[in-house]
Amino acid sequence: MASDEVVLLDFWPSPFGMRVRIALAEKGVKYEYKNQDLWNKSPLLLQTNPVHKKIPVLIHNGKPVCESLIVLQYIDEVWNHKAPLLPSDPYLRSQAKFWADFVDKKIYVLGWKTWSTKGEELEAAKKEFIDCIKLLEVELGDKPFFGGETLGIVDVSLIPLYSWFSVYEKFGNLSIEPECPVFVAWAKRCLEKESVTKSLPDQDKVCDYALWRRKVLGYE
Amino acid sequence: MADEVVLLDYWLSPFGMRLRIALALKGIKYEHKEEDLTNKSPLLLQSNPVHKKIPVLIHNGKPVCESVVALQYIDEVWNDTAPLLPSDPYLKSQARFWADFVDKKIYGYGKALWTAKGEELEAVQKDHLDCIKLLEGELGDKPFFGGETIGLLDVTLLPFASWFSVYEKFGNLSLEAACPKFIAWLKRCFLIQSVSESLPAAEKLYDYVVQMKKKLGTE
C-alpha cells in the first residue's frame, strides 16, 4: 500500500508491545517506534488511547488501534500478503484465538504473580503457572510452532513473556526448563527468527527493570 | 449437510446469553443444554477441559469456548446473514476493542453493584455510569453499535444491559435520567425478537437477586 504511516506507541519491557513489534517485523512493515514514559504519559498516548491510557497503541495513517491481541488481528488483516498469523479455517482460527486468550488470562497473570507475591500466594501461582505451560505444551504437540510451520498468533502472544522468564525464575525461585523442556525448545526455535530477536529486549535488562519495579512497589 | 449445533449454557450467564442472541439472529437451529454448574456434566468437562466453563458451542462435535471467540466463529461460519462484524479491518478492530471493554469493565462493576454498600457502592455506581457514558459516546447517533443492525458490541453488551432494571431497583440508581441514549438503545434492541427471546425476563432476574441477597445476608 502506498506511503502507509505506521507509528507504534510502546514501552520497551512491555510484553504486549513486543507482540506488536514481532508482528510488524514478520510482515515487513516499516514503522516509527515511539517509546513512552508511562509515569508521564504523552498527549499523543492520552489522545489515542483515552479509554485505557495504555501502550501498545498502533497508529495507522492517523487511526489508533489498542489492545495487543486486537492489534495483532488488525495487522494480520491489513498486511495480508505475507506471514499469516491466523489460519483461514474458522474452526482453527477459533482455537488459535482461544489459546491467545488463555495466554493473557493465565500465563501473563500468573507470571506477574511469580515476581510480585510471597509465601502461599506465590507457591500457588508457581504451581498453576507450570501447569498452564504444560497445557500449552500439549496444544503445541509435535508442531514446531503453535501456528504450524510458521509463527502464528499464539506464538507471537506468548514468546514476549519468555523475555520475562529470567525474572520469574529469579524472584519466584522457579525452574522452568526441567519441568517444561518442550516449551523451552519451542522458545529457542522462536528465538532463531530475526523478527523475534530484534523485538525482544535483553533478559538482563528486563531483570534490572523488574528489580527496580519491585523496590518501587515495595515487594522487596 | 445437516449442521449439528449444541450450546452448553446456564440460564443466568450473560456470556451464554450472547451466544443465544447471535444464534437467533442468524436463524441457526441448535440444541440448548442447560448445565448444573454445581455438578458439571461429562460433556462440559470434556469440551472445555481448560476452563470448565459455559458457554460452549459445539459445532458438528467440535467445541468452541470463550464467548467473544465463539461469537466471531458463528459470524465467520454463518456469514450469509446478520453480520456481526463489518468487513473493514479498522472498523472491525474498533468493534472488538469495545467488546473487550465490556468484558473488562462492565462485567466487574455488575458483580460489585449488588454486593457493595455505602461509600463503596457509590464509587462503583459512579464508575459504572462513566463506562455507560463512554459507550453512549461510541454509539453516537447510530440506532445500534453495529450501525443499522445489531453488531458484535450490541450482542456483547445486551446481556449485562438486561440486568440494568435490576441494578436500578437494588442500587437505587436511575439510569434513564443519567443515560437516556443508552436506555433508548436498550429499548430498541428489545423490540427485536431474537434479543427478547434470548434474555431472561427482568422479573426472573429480580427474583433471583432477592433470593441471593437473602442467602448472602446483604439485604
Side-chain angles (χ1 to χ4, degrees), chain A residues 2-189:
Chain A
S3 57
D4 258 327
E5 198 198 81
V6 183
V7 177
L8 176 61
L9 306 186
D10 199 350
F11 179 54
W12 68 269
S14 162
F16 304 105
M18 290 175 215
R19 290 170 171 178
V20 181
R21 287 173 232 164
I22 296 171
L24 292 168
E26 279 284 295
K27 303 269 185 181
V29 176
K30 289 201 191 331
Y31 66 100
E32 184 187 353
Y33 180 92
K34 287 191 172 182
N35 202 54
Q36 300 295 296
D37 177 353
L38 299 186
W39 294 273
N40 185 19
K41 292 177 180 178
S42 70
L44 183 60
L45 175 55
L46 297 175
Q47 177 200 325
T48 50
N49 192 358
V51 174
H52 300 302
K53 306 176 176 53
K54 288 181 175 182
I55 57 89
V57 182
L58 185 81
I59 311 173
H60 183 205
N61 295 330
K63 298 203 279 189
V65 185
C66 311
E67 292 304 305
S68 65
L69 288 183
I70 293 172
V71 176
L72 291 183
Q73 291 176 74
Y74 176 79
I75 289 170
D76 202 39
E77 286 163 20
V78 172
W79 291 280
N80 54 12
H81 59 298
K82 73 183 272 201
L85 296 178
L86 279 166
S88 48
D89 171 73
Y91 186 71
L92 295 174
R93 286 164 72 83
S94 76
Q95 298 310 289
K97 286 175 184 175
F98 171 86
W99 287 104
D101 174 75
F102 176 83
V103 170
D104 273 357
K105 282 191 166 98
K106 295 286 188 178
I107 308 293
Y108 177 67
V109 172
L110 292 166
W112 173 75
K113 284 187 176 180
T114 64
W115 66 278
S116 62
T117 61
K118 285 178 179 166
E120 267 182 43
E121 200 185 345
L122 171 61
E123 292 309 308
K126 281 163 64 173
K127 185 186 177 305
E128 207 188 335
F129 180 78
I130 295 291
D131 288 345
C132 286
I133 299 277
K134 289 183 171 174
L135 270 176
L136 284 165
E137 287 187 319
V138 173
E139 175 57 21
L140 180 65
D142 293 327
K143 306 192 297 292
F145 302 104
F146 290 92
E149 295 301 314
T150 53
L151 295 182
I153 199 169
V154 180
D155 302 278
V156 176
S157 303
L158 184 55
I159 194 62
L161 289 171
Y162 191 73
S163 69
W164 277 78
F165 275 25
S166 57
V167 174
Y168 305 157
E169 290 188 320
K170 180 175 177 165
F171 297 110
N173 200 26
L174 188 62
S175 191
I176 298 169
E177 185 148 16
E179 299 256 25
C180 311
V182 172
F183 179 79
V184 174
W186 161 83
K188 289 179 174 166
R189 271 194 296 281

Side-chain angles (χ1 to χ4, degrees), chain A residues 64 67 77 91 93 105, chain B residues 63 66 72 76 90 96 104:
Chain A
E67 292 304 305
E77 286 163 20
Y91 186 71
R93 286 164 72 83
K105 282 191 166 98
Chain B
E66 291 304 304
Q72 293 179 76
E76 287 168 22
Y90 186 72
R96 286 174 175 152
K104 284 187 162 102

